[in-house]
Amino acid sequence: MVGRDAVTGKQKWSRAGVTTPGAELVLGGGTLYLASGEYDGDVVGLDPATGNETWRSRLGKTYEQPRPIAADDRHVYVLAGILEKDFTSPDNVIAAIDTTSGKVAWREQRDTGTEEYGITAATVGNRLVYTDYRENVTVRDTATGRQVWTKKISRSNHRRFAVHGELVIVADGQRLRAFALADGKERWTLRTSEFSTFSDPHVLDGALYASDTARSLWAVDPATGKQIWHNEDLRDTATQAWQFAKVNNTLYGATEFDKDGGVHSFDATTGKLRWTYNDRTGDIQQWYVVAAGKRLAVMHGKKLYALPAV
């Protein structure tokens, strides 16, 4: 794992073997949490600025390789298999580890057969929200682990959802759906065209942005579901963006698996496409973009780029 200066690209720190291959990077309370690379059941916390280890849980052999899924100032939340005497783990738990003591604050066993992978999670106030491959949206109390509610959706949602105020917003096929965090009631829904489906929603600076498979782009009021704008002019000029970042009045979208894609720049007021950056390598790997001050950090294949946020 490597930390680089966003301005110069120079390496600031490097750690070998600190976590497992493909581990999710979970930030909470200023700490980067990772599954231990030693496969010893520990979860480690690093200072993102230096790469130094600042925290470690020592859960022992009770749990099979806990994997962090979310964190806040009080807890890091993990999924872990329950290790049986025959060394199998047919059941798994979702658990909260106290960030002060490193001990388990609570654990809740999930249904037998429930998959341990495909989980996307976030904390919102005193709620832990997560979706999974089994087409569920679930909300738990962060203090006790008590399940507040769970809802079935029609499609697997396992990459990203959005939160705004007291709402969780998910892409569910042709619909964007907003549920109340308090009770799971559906507050609003927005439909796209008949033969299209929504991609992951993002809430940035108080607006919700999402593209659909018809290559149109939506801006929506996340509180009400009311359309701000819907740009269908991109169908012949831009590939679908799946992940977004925003700097001032410019929206940036990274595309998936398309040699003609890249990073799109949009006017956030109108949705108009301004420009597209592509490294012309022909690599069909998906693109990623995050804002880093006056720069964009862009990853494509095995390369990391810095672009001006203009």
Side-chain angles (χ1 to χ4, degrees), residues 18 52 78 85 135 139 214 220 269 283 285 287 292:
V18 69
N52 293 331
V78 301
K85 292 182 180 179
E135 302 171 356
V139 174
V220 177
T269 302
D283 192 330
Q285 295 298 315
W287 292 72

Side-chain angles (χ1 to χ4, degrees), residues 99-120:
T99 54
T100 301
S101 67
K103 296 181 179 179
V104 175
W106 54 257
R107 76 171 212 177
E108 292 290 330
Q109 185 166 330
R110 302 174 73 217
D111 294 341
T112 297
T114 302
E115 297 176 16
E116 296 180 49
Y117 297 92
I119 303 292
T120 299

